[in-house]
Amino acid sequence: MSAVSSYTSGRSRRSLAELLANRPKNSGRKAESSNKSLQEAALCLLSCRQDLSQFLLEVEAPPCKKVCSHDCSASGHVQKSTTFTDTFIASALRDQALHLNVAPNILGAKAAALNIQKICDNVIDGEKGAVLSQEQRDRLTAFLQTLKGLVAENCFSCSVFLQHIWEEEIPHILEVVWHLQNADIVGLEDVLESCKDPDSAVDWFCTELQSLFLRMEASPDVEILEQMISSFVTVLVGKAFCKSSGKKAERSQLSKISLLILDEMHSWFLDVIPEAPNDESYKPGEEQYWLIAYNASRYRARVIPEVLEDFFTHTLSQTLIFKPKLKVSDAIRLQGSWSFVKTCPLLTDLYRKLFVLLSAEKLISRIQRVLDTQEVNWRHVLACVSCLVICQPDAQQLVTGLLGRLLAQAFETYELEYLITAFLIARQAALEGPAAFMSYTEWFKCTFGTASSYQNATKKSLLFLLKFLSDLVPYETPQYLKVHILHPPFVAAKFRQLLMEYISLAKTQLSDMKVSIEDMGLYENLSVGSGKDQKQPQAQQDVEKAVQIFENTGKIPSSVMEASIFRRPYFTSRFLPALLTPRLLPDVPDSLMFLIEALRRADKIPPAMMTSYLDACQLEKHRRLEGNGKMDVSLNEEPVARLQAALWQLRPFVTDPMRSDEISSHMAVISDRLASVMESSSMDAVPTVSPSVEELEPQELTVADLLLTSFCQCVMAASSTNPPDRQGPWPSLYVKMLCGHPRALHAMLSRTLQLLCQQAGLLKDPHVVGLAVFSVHLHECRASLTAPNVEVNALEKFWELVLDPRCLNSVSVILRFCTAAVSYACCRFPLLSPGASLDGIPPLFMRKLQHLLPRLVLEAREEGLMEEEKDTPALCRSLLFPSSGWKEAAVALWRQSHLQRLLAEDTFQLSFRDWLLWEMSLGLDNDPLCDTERQEFQRWALNSCFISESSVKGGCGNDLEIACSIVVDAVLEFCCRN
């Protein structure tokens, strides 16, 4: 013993592995003596080293492996040496435990706890949520290898280890727990379950995790920390929502603790989110890292899908019922500021992550169940509705179904809660624009504006609705009161007095709010918000709308005539002054002058007012001649710049398939910024006359160019990576978004007419393709253009104007435009497939293609030269990006047998009468063909396409009498038009 002591003290201290490696090999006959000497040496070492924890720290795996590599060549020998070392350590531990009269596993557990405390000494003295340094991680990893050997030798007790940690109040660092869990020594569930006070365990874990979040931004090991968080949340979710029936008591306590932790962290996350909308002072901090818990991809195969779905469903429910402080009256007053773009991004990110795993049907079902059974946080519920209709393509139909069920329950049970909920959800969904949901005006009219509506079942139902609307009046905003007044619920004649009482109350409330009922416009858009933020007076918008209707019908609009009788104060003090605004009168009378003259002849304009108007126009003419014309108002550059930035940010979404699910939310951002640039208007979205550049205001021209440029660039960028049928829904969402901004869409279509009619020769192929694609999707979304006082065929008239050769001086541009539109539609929609829907393209485009392509391209007149059917993506690419020229690409499309079968459909057939009218409309100045070429084409068309064709296919069936009759009718009609 003394010799060993003097030996160890006389030389530098060496590890146990080095002592063992330098021992000489003994022969078999000296084996017994060798074992005895070895035991003595071990006893001497233990006698000199009474600190067991220091002894365990000295025995590390790496030195052993390094030393053994000198003497052993096979990996099996290394494993044997390591196992021998573990056995030796366990033997030494048992001897020490025998001296102390303690069980070896208890002694090993306590020694392990003390060792971990020493490794983390520097960290434990610091703040909560600390992380280990790289050196400490290496030391801990080496020690855990030794500890795993003790576990294998039954010299380590997990329960004693955990009990010692909690009783001795040794601080436990989350990263240490993570390493213990990865080494399969002690799991997080063991740490939580070993705590006698569940509340203390919950408080410890949540405090440590929140403190860890605080350190993540400045930590260089963010990826490691994210893995740690994912690992812990995986354990918590698995235990909190486990459906196993084994060990009921233990599982019950652990499940409770896990669920408490998840709920506590989620409540902390929601508490930090600001309640004020658009709080510019708020910037996401450490709370954003909790969203890692809702990344479904991080769970993968570690959690059963049903369990993960339960977790997401539970989280959604907890979000909807979190701190329900707001009353219904507050929700009615404030919900305008809870739209998708005005909600805190962290809350919308949370909803979008939950929507990844939960289908729209399950989301609607869960929302309805929560609304039926619990008190809710209206801000969270309505923000969820906004996010749902923006991010889920099929949400509109499901939300409509939910509203129907709520209204049915309301009028069946006469419970106000169902009715209030339905109105709040309908208004919230309508805030996101027509691309996401119908307007509130349309919903209210469809729901309560017919004889079969809910309120007309019984008198009690009617009283129920009217009392509800009356109770809402003190809290309503002006635009909703206007909807109820101008589009009141349908009631039977005998109950008309009840409705008039409500309307009188609503008008009184508007008067108290300084919103005169007489200021309500004739064509006011009542779904866009209060009119106090509109830059253009409502009366001026009414004048523009009235002029458009007068252009289309040639008659004074009925709404104007009614206003002159029943709304005389508004007509004389608002409408007529806006109509008779002094201006420089054109040499050729325009539609506005004709309308003024019609109203004058109908005695609707007082003579004195008319005289004053003419005198003011003369004065304006003299001012212009003197050079004192009005200067253009400068644009509000900041909102335009923000709109431009949002449009620029759209391109990465349309080119990256992995980000396609973010397009709908970004469209909501563009819509919000567009609304801040161009106020809402009641004008027609579709122009029916070709405007000059001067008729567009500078701001309208700028915004229209931004929108068109962005769309064309996105079309070309998306088409360069994917064929149209695999580009996602972005073009449709873009056009639907524009349908919610009539003034912007009107400016955009007017600008399209300007480009095609006045600058057609300057347009490049990308411009023509972009405008053609926009036309296809505008036709697709034509249902979103429906509005009061809008002609059903307004869009068809617009196409006729666009494709009129008298407007487009270049016939070749019309052909390029139609070819691009048809080819894109054939690739975007399965038009060339048998049995496909024929609703993907305006029929006029197909007829124009049949008229102009054979006319301008000789190859298209050749019969029987059908080519092999090309693959749709290849065909589309050759048409959108022609390498040899657009004529060759158009001929390639024309020779597809599927397209020829499509042209034979009744919808797309070119009739003899239409062909004659179009031929006559091509004047000598616009016709690129010379007389000889024109006669040759007309002879070919008559003989090949019309005279011999049957009347079913638009021809004459070889009947010259029918042919002559059609010719005479066409000539007379052409003369009448001109």
Side-chain angles (χ1 to χ4, degrees):
M1 189 75 90
S2 60
V4 175
S5 300
S6 61
Y7 174 78
T8 56
S9 61
R11 298 185 59 184
S12 60
R13 182 178 301 173
R14 293 184 294 170
S15 67
L16 177 61
E18 292 173 325
L19 291 173
L20 294 177
N22 290 333
R23 290 182 61 84
K25 297 183 180 180
N26 298 311
S27 59
R29 59 186 180 180
K30 296 182 180 181
E32 184 177 353
S33 175
S34 175
N35 291 337
K36 185 176 181 180
S37 300
L38 182 61
Q39 291 176 2
E40 289 178 357
L43 290 175
C44 289
L45 184 60
L46 288 174
S47 298
C48 298
R49 295 288 191 89
Q50 293 297 326
D51 190 347
L52 184 61
S53 62
Q54 290 291 342
F55 169 66
L56 292 178
L57 281 177
E58 182 178 343
V59 183
E60 298 178 353
C64 177
K65 292 181 181 179
K66 182 178 180 181
V67 172
C68 291
S69 64
H70 294 295
D71 299 330
C72 305
S73 58
S75 60
H77 293 128
V78 176
Q79 180 64 30
K80 182 177 180 181
S81 175
T82 303
T83 304
F84 173 75
T85 303
D86 294 340
T87 304
F88 179 80
I89 296 171
S91 176
L93 185 63
R94 292 190 184 96
D95 290 339
Q96 182 74 1
L98 183 61
H99 284 294
L100 299 175
N101 195 24
V102 179
N105 58 350
I106 296 177
L107 184 61
K110 292 184 178 181
L114 293 175
N115 283 331
I116 290 176
Q117 183 176 6
K118 289 179 180 179
I119 292 174
C120 305
D121 267 342
N122 295 334
V123 182
I124 291 174
D125 294 337
E127 300 178 358
K128 291 182 178 296
V131 295
L132 301 178
S133 65
Q134 188 58 47
E135 179 186 357
Q136 290 169 325
R137 288 192 188 115
D138 295 339
R139 293 178 59 196
L140 180 62
T141 302
F143 174 70
L144 292 182
Q145 291 297 326
T146 302
L147 198 56
K148 289 177 71 175
L150 293 181
V151 173
E153 294 291 336
N154 293 324
C155 290
F156 178 80
S157 171
C158 291
S159 59
V160 175
F161 173 75
L162 296 170
Q163 183 181 1
H164 187 69
I165 287 179
W166 286 110
E167 290 181 352
E168 298 298 328
E169 297 185 356
I170 297 176
H172 3 321
I173 302 171
L174 279 183
E175 185 175 352
V176 175
V177 177
W178 182 55
H179 285 291
L180 288 169
Q181 179 172 282
N182 289 343
D184 292 328
I185 297 173
V186 173
L188 174 63
E189 62 271 28
D190 301 318
V191 176
L192 297 175
E193 197 171 15
S194 63
C195 183
K196 296 181 180 179
D197 183 11
D199 293 336
S200 299
V202 173
D203 181 66
W204 160 74
F205 185 87
C206 293
T207 303
E208 285 288 325
L209 191 57
Q210 293 166 17
S211 302
L212 183 65
F213 290 160
L214 192 59
R215 294 173 175 267
M216 286 185 68
E217 287 190 15
S219 174
D221 303 318
V222 175
E223 293 185 3
I224 295 177
L225 300 182
E226 288 182 354
Q227 293 176 12
M228 186 192 313
I229 296 169
S230 298
S231 178
F232 286 150
V233 176
T234 299
V235 173
L236 294 173
V237 171
K239 298 301 177 183
F241 298 94
C242 182
K243 299 179 181 180
S244 175
S245 59
K247 298 183 180 181
K248 293 183 179 179
E250 297 177 4
R251 291 292 181 91
S252 155
Q253 182 180 2
L254 181 58
S255 176
K256 177 182 177 182
I257 294 175
S258 301
L259 189 59
L260 284 173
I261 291 175
L262 293 173
D263 289 347
E264 181 67 23
M265 289 302 302
H266 190 60
S267 298
W268 168 77
F269 170 79
L270 295 176
D271 250 333
V272 181
I273 295 177
E275 294 186 5
N278 292 335
D279 188 352
E280 297 182 357
S281 63
Y282 170 75
K283 294 182 178 179
E286 63 273 12
E287 66 274 5
Q288 63 184 315
Y289 294 107
W290 177 242
L291 290 176
I292 296 173
Y294 306 109
N295 286 342
S297 59
R298 289 184 175 270
Y299 294 93
R300 296 184 181 177
R302 295 185 293 175
V303 177
I304 301 174
E306 291 78 7
V307 172
L308 189 59
E309 186 176 312
D310 289 344
F311 169 51
F312 278 31
T313 304
H314 174 78
T315 302
L316 178 63
S317 300
Q318 293 300 109
T319 306
L320 299 181
I321 65 174
F322 177 74
K323 292 186 178 180
K325 297 180 294 185
L326 294 175
K327 300 179 181 178
V328 173
S329 57
D330 298 323
I332 294 172
R333 179 172 49 88
L334 298 174
Q335 73 173 133
S337 60
W338 296 338
S339 62
F340 181 85
V341 295
K342 295 180 181 179
T343 302
C344 177
L346 283 184
L347 186 58
T348 57
D349 286 346
L350 170 65
Y351 286 135
R352 291 166 63 182
K353 289 179 182 294
L354 297 179
F355 294 172
V356 169
L357 197 64
L358 302 176
S359 64
E361 293 83 354
K362 291 181 180 179
L363 289 169
I364 292 292
S365 175
R366 172 56 55 172
I367 292 173
Q368 183 173 8
R369 184 179 305 175
V370 171
L371 290 171
D372 289 345
T373 58
Q374 302 186 58
E375 190 176 0
V376 297
N377 182 321
W378 282 111
R379 181 170 72 100
H380 290 178
V381 170
L382 298 180
C384 180
V385 171
S386 285
C387 195
L388 183 62
V389 297
I390 287 291
C391 300
Q392 294 284 0
D394 53 346
Q396 177 170 349
Q397 182 178 358
L398 295 172
V399 170
T400 303
L402 172 62
L403 293 174
R405 292 191 296 272
L406 289 171
L407 290 172
Q409 289 176 307
F411 285 95
E412 181 179 347
T413 62
Y414 296 105
E415 289 286 342
L416 279 176
E417 290 185 2
Y418 293 119
L419 199 56
I420 291 171
T421 302
F423 269 75
L424 286 174
I425 291 177
R427 292 179 178 184
Q428 190 68 28
L431 287 176
E432 305 305 331
F437 198 77
M438 69 182 78
S439 67
Y440 178 73
T441 302
E442 184 180 352
W443 176 80
F444 191 81
K445 288 167 57 180
C446 294
T447 306
F448 302 107
T450 64
S452 59
S453 300
Y454 297 98
Q455 76 276 6
N456 292 317
T458 61
K459 181 180 179 180
K460 184 177 181 181
S461 299
L462 177 61
L463 292 174
F464 176 64
L465 175 63
L466 293 179
K467 183 180 185 305
F468 166 74
L469 294 177
S470 301
D471 292 341
L472 283 185
V473 166
Y475 313 102
E476 290 277 41
T477 52
Q479 71 268 25
Y480 294 126
L481 289 174
K482 291 179 181 180
V483 171
H484 300 163
I485 293 174
L486 295 185
H487 307 285
F490 181 89
V491 297
K494 58 182 178 181
F495 300 130
R496 188 73 180 174
Q497 184 60 33
L498 299 175
L499 176 63
M500 296 309 297
E501 291 177 2
Y502 164 74
I503 292 178
S504 176
L505 178 63
K507 288 182 177 181
T508 302
Q509 178 66 13
L510 283 176
S511 177
D512 294 341
M513 299 169 72
K514 309 300 182 183
V515 180
S516 174
I517 189 64
E518 298 301 334
D519 289 336
M520 293 169 56
L522 306 182
Y523 309 102
E524 186 172 354
N525 186 351
L526 301 172
S527 302
V528 297
S530 176
K532 64 182 180 181
D533 298 327
Q534 293 186 6
K535 302 171 186 176
Q536 186 181 26
Q538 182 60 45
Q540 183 62 39
Q541 298 181 33
D542 289 342
V543 169
E544 294 174 359
K545 179 68 176 181
V547 171
Q548 291 173 3
I549 296 176
F550 182 78
E551 287 176 352
N552 295 330
T553 62
K555 300 178 181 179
I556 300 175
S558 58
S559 55
V560 175
M561 297 298 291
E562 292 172 359
S564 67
I565 301 173
F566 302 108
R567 298 185 60 191
R568 189 72 183 174
Y570 173 80
F571 182 78
T572 56
S573 63
R574 298 285 194 277
F575 182 80
L576 285 182
L579 178 71
L580 301 177
T581 301
R583 64 178 182 133
L584 181 62
L585 298 178
D587 296 332
V588 179
D590 58 4
S591 299
L592 178 58
M593 294 180 65
F594 284 128
L595 175 61
I596 293 173
E597 180 61 21
L599 288 172
R600 187 192 64 80
R601 290 198 303 266
D603 294 330
K604 299 301 180 183
I605 301 178
M609 184 177 288
M610 188 67 188
T611 302
S612 300
Y613 167 69
L614 296 175
D615 293 341
C617 290
Q618 286 295 324
L619 180 61
E620 182 69 18
K621 180 178 180 180
H622 291 304
R623 289 180 56 192
R624 293 294 181 93
L625 292 175
E626 294 173 1
N628 296 327
K630 297 180 181 179
M631 300 296 293
D632 289 336
V633 180
S634 62
L635 299 181
N636 188 350
E637 295 182 358
E638 183 180 352
V640 174
R642 294 175 67 242
L643 173 63
Q644 186 175 12
L647 291 171
W648 177 256
Q649 293 167 0
L650 178 63
R651 288 188 64 183
F653 294 105
V654 304
T655 55
D656 187 358
M658 301 300 294
R659 305 183 66 183
S660 59
D661 57 338
E662 302 178 38
I663 292 176
S664 57
S665 59
H666 191 71
M667 287 297 177
V669 175
I670 295 176
S671 177
D672 180 70
R673 295 187 179 179
L674 181 58
S676 66
V677 175
M678 299 185 70
E679 73 279 0
S680 299
S681 172
S682 57
M683 66 170 58
D684 273 342
V686 182
T688 54
V689 293
S690 177
S692 62
V693 178
E694 290 75 21
E695 287 182 348
L696 283 177
E697 297 179 2
Q699 189 176 53
E700 292 177 338
L701 187 61
T702 301
V703 172
D705 284 341
L706 283 177
L707 294 171
L708 283 174
T709 301
S710 173
F711 187 85
C712 293
Q713 289 176 346
C714 287
V715 167
M716 303 312 293
S719 300
S720 64
T721 57
N722 290 298
D725 58 337
R726 292 205 296 269
Q727 290 179 14
W730 79 264
S732 302
L733 293 176
Y734 192 99
V735 176
K736 284 185 179 180
M737 179 271 297
L738 289 174
C739 292
H741 300 274
R743 186 183 174 197
L745 182 59
H746 184 274
M748 195 171 175
L749 296 180
S750 298
R751 182 60 173 156
T752 301
L753 283 174
Q754 292 175 3
L755 293 172
L756 292 174
C757 295
Q758 301 175 20
Q759 304 176 30
L762 302 177
L763 297 179
K764 306 295 184 182
D765 284 340
H767 301 137
V768 175
V769 170
L771 294 176
V773 171
F774 180 78
S775 301
V776 170
H777 286 286
L778 184 62
H779 174 77
E780 178 195 13
C781 304
R782 59 192 180 279
S784 301
L785 293 172
T786 56
N789 304 304
V790 174
E791 289 186 82
V792 177
N793 60 344
L795 195 57
E796 284 71 13
K797 290 185 177 181
F798 177 73
W799 300 137
E800 291 177 1
L801 189 60
V802 167
L803 302 179
D804 188 352
R806 290 169 294 183
C807 176
L808 276 72
N809 295 326
S810 176
V811 179
S812 62
V813 175
I814 301 179
L815 180 56
R816 288 167 58 196
F817 187 72
C818 291
T819 302
V822 172
S823 60
Y824 175 83
C826 290
C827 299
R828 175 76 181 185
F829 312 105
L831 294 181
L832 300 181
S833 302
S837 173
L838 305 180
D839 206 29
I841 189 172
L844 184 61
F845 282 61
M846 299 290 281
R847 299 188 191 118
K848 282 288 183 179
L849 183 67
Q850 295 177 72
H851 175 222
L852 294 179
L853 186 58
R855 195 178 202 280
L856 301 182
V857 183
L858 290 175
E859 291 84 347
R861 303 178 195 174
E862 300 175 1
E863 299 180 3
L865 294 178
M866 295 298 103
E867 297 180 354
E868 292 186 11
E869 301 301 332
K870 293 185 178 181
D871 183 45
T872 300
L875 176 64
C876 181
R877 189 170 186 85
S878 67
L879 290 163
L880 296 181
F881 302 94
S883 57
S884 57
W886 67 269
K887 288 187 178 180
E888 290 75 6
V891 171
L893 173 67
W894 181 261
R895 289 177 174 175
Q896 297 295 303
S897 58
H898 285 327
L899 180 66
Q900 294 300 322
R901 286 195 293 270
L902 191 65
L903 295 176
E905 296 289 339
D906 294 340
T907 307
F908 301 133
Q909 280 183 5
L910 175 61
S911 66
F912 185 34
R913 173 182 164 277
D914 288 340
W915 181 84
L916 288 169
L917 289 172
W918 289 345
E919 278 295 308
M920 287 185 286
S921 66
L922 277 173
L924 297 178
D925 297 336
N926 296 330
D927 195 348
L929 301 181
C930 64
D931 293 342
T932 304
E933 292 173 335
R934 181 166 55 254
Q935 292 175 5
E936 182 181 351
F937 162 71
Q938 292 174 350
R939 186 182 299 109
W940 170 84
L942 288 172
N943 294 329
S944 302
C945 303
F946 299 112
I947 299 297
S948 59
E949 287 290 341
S950 65
S951 57
V952 178
K953 296 183 179 181
C956 305
N958 285 320
D959 191 332
L960 294 180
E961 183 178 351
I962 295 178
C964 294
S965 174
I966 295 175
V967 170
V968 171
D969 291 341
V971 171
L972 292 175
E973 182 176 348
F974 179 77
C975 294
C976 292
R977 288 183 180 181
N978 294 275

